Amino acid sequence: MSLVVRNIPRAEDGVIDALAAFGVATVHEAQGRKGLLASYLRPIYRPCGVAGSAVTCEVAPGDNWMIHVAAEQCRPGDVLVVAPTSPCEDGYFGDLLATSLKARGVRGLIIDAGVRDIAVLTQMGFPVWSKAVFAQGCVKETLGNVNLPLVCGGALINPGDVIVADDDGVCVVRHAEAPAVANAARKREANEIDKRAQFEAGVLGLDLYKMRERLAEKGLRYVDEAP
Amino acid sequence: MSLVVRNIPRAEDGVIDALAAFGVATVHEAQGRKGLLASYLRPIYRPCGVAGSAVTCEVAPGDNWMIHVAAEQCRPGDVLVVAPTSPCEDGYFGDLLATSLKARGVRGLIIDAGVRDIAVLTQMGFPVWSKAVFAQGCVKETLGNVNLPLVCGGALINPGDVIVADDDGVCVVRHAEAPAVANAARKREANEIDKRAQFEAGVLGLDLYKMRERLAEKGLRYVDEAP
Amino acid sequence: MSLVVRNIPRAEDGVIDALAAFGVATVHEAQGRKGLLASYLRPIYRPCGVAGSAVTCEVAPGDNWMIHVAAEQCRPGDVLVVAPTSPCEDGYFGDLLATSLKARGVRGLIIDAGVRDIAVLTQMGFPVWSKAVFAQGCVKETLGNVNLPLVCGGALINPGDVIVADDDGVCVVRHAEAPAVANAARKREANEIDKRAQFEAGVLGLDLYKMRERLAEKGLRYVDEAP
Amino acid sequence: MSLVVRNIPRAEDGVIDALAAFGVATVHEAQGRKGLLASYLRPIYRPCGVAGSAVTCEVAPGDNWMIHVAAEQCRPGDVLVVAPTSPCEDGYFGDLLATSLKARGVRGLIIDAGVRDIAVLTQMGFPVWSKAVFAQGCVKETLGNVNLPLVCGGALINPGDVIVADDDGVCVVRHAEAPAVANAARKREANEIDKRAQFEAGVLGLDLYKMRERLAEKGLRYVDEAP
Amino acid sequence: MSLVVRNIPRAEDGVIDALAAFGVATVHEAQGRKGLLASYLRPIYRPCGVAGSAVTCEVAPGDNWMIHVAAEQCRPGDVLVVAPTSPCEDGYFGDLLATSLKARGVRGLIIDAGVRDIAVLTQMGFPVWSKAVFAQGCVKETLGNVNLPLVCGGALINPGDVIVADDDGVCVVRHAEAPAVANAARKREANEIDKRAQFEAGVLGLDLYKMRERLAEKGLRYVDEAP
Amino acid sequence: MSLVVRNIPRAEDGVIDALAAFGVATVHEAQGRKGLLASYLRPIYRPCGVAGSAVTCEVAPGDNWMIHVAAEQCRPGDVLVVAPTSPCEDGYFGDLLATSLKARGVRGLIIDAGVRDIAVLTQMGFPVWSKAVFAQGCVKETLGNVNLPLVCGGALINPGDVIVADDDGVCVVRHAEAPAVANAARKREANEIDKRAQFEAGVLGLDLYKMRERLAEKGLRYVDEAP
């Protein structure tokens, strides 16, 4: 029943690197305000920021066997995405697995469960976004799937989708949409440079975005004193 | 239906600065153990610490339009306090709004919802106490009120109340009580200097606070070995 | 009804220091994957790491009186473990109590409740693992027990058990088992040095742990393309 | 420091009874979508539904002393509203207090904490909306205020405001606005009778509310097959 | 950007009815222990149980406009599945929408948000599985998609998948797998009849499932007294 | 490593039945306000109420193998208490296991995890107090201990302790203390009969418990109007 898919699509390095540079908030906006994983997935250290191709790994609760299987499928530039089949916060991942993944060029881990050895992972500079920090060890008894689509942090992740993760959390970009999203992010960011300058100069969003008329139409009223 | 109140009372700068220096725990105690906002409002970076006059801003879930309206009402020394009309953790606030508020002299943001761009906010030194870090973008469709009383983090905030916020969280001081609270905090802190010295010298709280007799009256018993 | 037990067993300093050096994850594994306290007990600053003998302190909700009683029972090298009789996140502990405990040689605090003054505690280097950061002050009205067994963070703590705490959380080691656990941890860590080197050299866990055959027996299948 | 206010405004019985009949959802809408208490306040049995004048009672964590003080201030038709000064789920209220309140004509209890003896309360027909069901007993040591404004379930409650509570939760109506809200609710409900008949007859909301044009303007597109 | 897909696959009535009869636990097991939605999706009344074809509806936080759009796409035998684009517990759905859906033959609602008017829905016999009961009203300003795949309660739902829901929660069965899952469930249930009889007769699972040998191999030991 | 202890102490039937009749709140008070399990352990149906001797069962996350082992150790009048070694809400227990336990005379289940088939369990009248209702199936791979002490719902449970459970939740009474607690509960209940009569007659707790003087000493003040 359990499958490992060897070949998955991967976006071009240039696109992935561009998405990493834009960061989660910009990428999320650029693709139409979609793709965020749940806010409970927090980085173990800050600042941090990576992007990479998703290798997906389904695990049983309290069982990290499949992470070893998934490690073999990872290539330089990948991000490993792990989700349990039911809610669990055990420490599926620690410094040995991080050493292994780092040696294979993996850029980080997204795990809808727990992580441990975070002092060492911090020293190593191996970033992890997790639901919990918890040292609880795992068994190796039950199979799962590697590189099939899964839901992590409430978002669907397909193998080969681009994962963007930074201090703000984690966002997924569909593999086929990654170049277009990178372009849209580029435009958005260019646009923001000018806006930032205007805000620094004291211009209000009310004026910059020409909001006053529509606010009045909707019925906003100003009074000098509290009623 | 939606109102913006232009004029609100503000405490004197000296009182506000004094409250900032005492910090949340001391101010909370000095005013009779009241005024704390919920513990889930956490700062995006540490150490941090500000005080300022509250400008209040009510927003709809997933809609940050009114923050632009509120920005215009802020003056140097203010703290913006934002609460949604129902629970929401979307990213109402990011680096552009922070740039705008900072340009207006706003000292920080308290938001019973999410915030994004926290790496940039950290670099800017613009402190935010929020319920979540989440990049989810907002729409601009629904009005709310600015500078009417609201509940944020389970505490009533009136416009012009003094907000004190630091690593320990957030506390509100009523505008009319701020001078008296600052005085009480000053006395409390003076009192603590001596206590701290005694604790450093090894004196026990049991003796410093003369607790032994009352503990015995209540029935506390000492035994040498576990029963 | 309320008791303070004066004499409790304490592990040898050498054993305690060894456990501190191994850290939570290794100690937890070395004793058979048991002893962890709940993951919601997080350190107020990082990196951090201590071990010590547990002095246990039961408190009423919103009432920190017994912490003063417990302070007297602490000796150099101890770790104070505080749990309320029902869930509470009030700020039972701040800089004055930390000053007192530090003067007595206490190495840290584990509290299934809230803590405050964390900026000062961080400066002092007094580590605390707590359920919340919350400035809410406490009363001193109700007794509890000191140095009787209690449940903290979902784990049973006996007075004199060894507490190990670091960035990964908190683990308890039974007093009588501490020397054996330290030995087992030593072996485990020695074993990991070699593993780490192999992982760094690119060896896969699949091969290092000889997992391939058992995975195949369980039914794992590899395919080149997604089905 | 602690105050009991003896005289509070109360809305007319007719207005209160009307609001009870409309129920929480209708009243909440009729007053402009405001006034709801947090959704975690759930009734101990269903169906249920009351309205009454709020008598407010602030309690310390784990301490139900002030409920006895508040009981004396209750009159027939009142609803008691209890909130702790910091989060607590202890069982502040059980069958004896319910017997006392029922004897005084109190219609129900809203408590941002725990309740116990719910089997008996159910048999008695004394409704309670609470945060938890928990048998944990309380002490009687610390004062609080009765009939001062407080925040319960994230909403500001003034003494004498009208509380409406049913299977859907709890809503507060300001004392001064109660007659107008009752009128608005009456209109809303009349309006809904016709709508319900049309929905039963198969009319779509799209047509009843004439939504199709505005949806198209906003950009909604229909396709026969998934893209 | 927002799409409504008019034609979706639907499983045969016989298959759907069979899955309804087996219930969530059996169906979940029969398809290899997958497909469950999160446990926080609870029914508003019990007992309850339905199955139907999923019509999916994405909504903005605090905005139920698209439910009206989705209603038109529903046919007799469908189950409406609603998920917000970010976490929200507002009351998206009440008695008017339920009347409309019931008139169209919809069998129930799964909503990763709040519901209201539950007393009326209970009387109507219209079952809802929701994250919250909350009366908070919604606006109608922002578009979403209807009948595109979405994640609800942490599970991927494709339009036309079969939803099975009862007292135990909610399970999704892929449209293409539904007949095979119904067959597997039939076998599983037949198998359980005999097991139930044996358990009733006092046979132990240890013997019925022949577990004793494998337990011993794994190292289970029996002792007469606690060590 | 994993042990099953065959012989455990059990309280006398008369004591157990008496404790069942008093119920959780009274028993908890009678033994000095201790022994409650966490409030998140809720019964699957109401009203309900049992007491029995605890048979304890430790399970791995997502693995219910040991429940079969524990079943053999249960005798008529027992209550099975199950806790996972790390947080898990999988459906460890359903109608087949309930049939087996009921055939052995077991009175109910306390499980710090999930349960399924609750419609059938309700029909059978087999009560369960659980953390979640969730159909997620379990594997049978990992051993645990039966009849060793464990922590369930934050409370220490020794094998043979008396478990009392009803609509209010779950309470544990130490085996050795059970007769004394039953006596104390009897006195408490007798005492409450008179109190209840007085409350019904309109006597206030303020007078019944002679609280007025102490309240005044603590500083409670009455005013006619809000300040």
Side-chain angles (χ1 to χ4, degrees), chain A residues 26-47:
Chain A
T26 295
V27 167
H28 156 75
E29 287 281 349
Q31 68 179 342
R33 288 186 186 153
K34 65 180 188 187
L36 288 181
L37 278 66
S39 67
Y40 62 72
L41 292 171
R42 296 299 303 147
I44 58 169
Y45 61 82
R46 287 176 48 204

Side-chain angles (χ1 to χ4, degrees), chain F residues 52-63:
Chain F
S53 298
V55 168
T56 63
C57 178
E58 182 195 67
V59 292
D63 191 314

Side-chain angles (χ1 to χ4, degrees), chain C residues 201-214:
Chain C
V203 178
L204 285 166
L206 291 178
D207 298 312
L208 185 59
Y209 300 116
K210 300 190 191 338
M211 293 171 169
R212 293 185 192 274
E213 190 177 2
R214 192 161 160 256

Side-chain angles (χ1 to χ4, degrees), chain D residues 43-48 118 121-128 167, chain F residues 46:
Chain D
I44 58 168
Y45 62 83
R46 285 178 49 204
C48 57
I118 64 168
L121 299 188
T122 301
Q123 287 164 359
M124 288 171 62
F126 188 86
V128 177
D167 290 24
Chain F
R46 286 177 49 202

Side-chain angles (χ1 to χ4, degrees), chain C residues 131-212:
Chain C
K131 184 181 178 182
V133 174
F134 196 36
Q136 179 70 43
C138 284
V139 298
K140 289 171 181 65
E141 298 283 359
T142 302
L143 301 187
N145 299 302
V146 171
N147 279 335
L148 290 190
L150 52 64
V151 173
C152 181
L156 177 67
I157 314 289
N158 300 299
D161 284 345
V162 181
I163 300 295
V164 186
D166 63 18
D167 290 24
D168 285 346
V170 186
C171 188
V172 61
V173 179
R174 298 290 163 237
H175 170 258
E177 300 174 8
V181 172
N183 278 336
R186 195 168 294 117
K187 283 176 197 160
R188 184 178 170 86
E189 198 164 82
N191 188 21
E192 291 206 344
I193 290 170
D194 176 59
K195 285 183 194 165
R196 193 172 292 108
Q198 296 209 46
F199 280 130
E200 276 171 358
V203 178
L204 285 166
L206 291 178
D207 298 312
L208 185 59
Y209 300 116
K210 300 190 191 338
M211 293 171 169
R212 293 185 192 274

Side-chain angles (χ1 to χ4, degrees), chain C residues 61-62 85-90 134 136 139 141-142, chain D residues 61-62 85-90 134 136 139 141-142:
Chain C
T85 51
S86 67
C88 188
E89 57 175 37
D90 287 354
F134 196 36
Q136 179 70 43
V139 298
E141 298 283 359
T142 302
Chain D
T85 51
S86 66
C88 187
E89 57 174 37
D90 287 355
F134 197 36
Q136 179 70 41
V139 298
E141 298 283 359
T142 302

